[in-house]
Amino acid sequence: MYKILSLLAVVSAALTATGEEVTGTVKATNLNVRVLPGTSYSVVATLQKGETVTVLARKDKWIKIKAPKSSSVWISISCVKDNTVVKETKLRSGPGISYNDFGTIKKSTKVKLLEEKRGEWARMEVPDELTAWTSSDYVEMPATASLKTEDISLPEPPKESKPAADPLPFESKPKDVTLEGVIVSVSSAVYVTHAIAVQKKNEYVPAAFLHSKKSLKPYENKLVKIRGFQRKVKGWKLPMIEVDSVKPVE
């Protein structure tokens, strides 16, 4: 019997050492849970003392956990039909593209929208696979816990906690779109630096102006697929797309 118990102890320790899930207990009165490991990122839930969390990994003084079911997770209503995601899109920590990215949800994924809605956005039930971050200083874990270190590239935190005011006179609400075409430079432009031209018959014609936080110059005159949120702008012949991602088309 002693040998069997010893073997079980060795196996248990090995599982923990290789990065298995660890149960932690909150020891702070109120503990903020954030989208990413840093105090500049959105708070999506608050845990109470005594609650338990499933810990998956660590980065410095932060731990990655399974997102609490009370987390604020939002999706564009245009991306959901009959409780099914109709196109791959990003989840957000609030109702708008100005809120932190909460991960990408794939097409055909089943979701449950909640009653809380704002404009073209709806809060949704937290997916089982969604993760979030909190401070390791306020979560008690087993002394033998050996978490893997998460290698994560962090985006630049927003300078303001509230979404910035719209920089242009938009006439429509954001609509999630995906386009394939050639990116071309726009001269004498400030907010929009490029446009995308799509193929119609034997020629490419401009379809939308583009605004991106990352430079689009490396993609000039190349065939790409872009994904983002499109809106009409007062006085413009073409709509504008706030670019989320750009992928070259081979």
Side-chain angles (χ1 to χ4, degrees), residues 67-73 112 114 124-130:
K69 291 302 180 182
S70 59
S71 297
S72 175
V73 185
K112 181 179 179 180
L114 304 179
M124 59 178 281
E125 192 173 272
V126 179
D128 291 337
E129 64 275 12
L130 199 66

Side-chain angles (χ1 to χ4, degrees), residues 192-208:
V192 292
T193 58
H194 292 77
I196 185 167
V198 300
Q199 188 172 19
K200 289 188 177 181
K201 296 183 178 180
N202 296 323
E203 62 179 350
Y204 281 89
V205 297

Side-chain angles (χ1 to χ4, degrees), residues 5 93 101 120 124 168 209:
L5 292 175
S93 60
D101 174 1
E120 292 299 309
M124 59 178 281
L168 297 172
F209 292 116

Side-chain angles (χ1 to χ4, degrees), residues 130-149:
L130 199 66
T131 60
W133 293 80
T134 194
S135 172
S136 62
D137 291 339
Y138 304 104
V139 177
E140 185 176 358
M141 292 177 284
T144 56
S146 180
L147 297 170
K148 68 177 181 179
T149 299

Side-chain angles (χ1 to χ4, degrees), residues 163-236:
D166 286 338
L168 297 172
F170 294 114
E171 293 185 317
S172 65
K173 295 176 180 178
K175 177 183 178 183
D176 193 20
V177 296
T178 300
L179 285 181
E180 183 176 305
V182 175
I183 288 185
V184 294
S185 177
V186 177
S187 60
S188 302
V190 179
Y191 189 74
V192 292
T193 58
H194 292 77
I196 185 167
V198 300
Q199 188 172 19
K200 289 188 177 181
K201 296 183 178 180
N202 296 323
E203 62 179 350
Y204 281 89
V205 297
F209 292 116
L210 304 177
H211 175 259
S212 175
K213 294 179 181 179
K214 295 182 179 180
S215 174
L216 296 174
K217 195 169 184 61
Y219 302 101
E220 285 182 5
N221 303 317
K222 294 180 180 178
L223 184 63
V224 301
K225 179 178 285 187
I226 68 166
R227 181 163 55 85
F229 289 87
Q230 177 176 291
R231 286 188 279 183
K232 293 181 180 179
V233 182
K234 185 177 181 180
W236 291 18

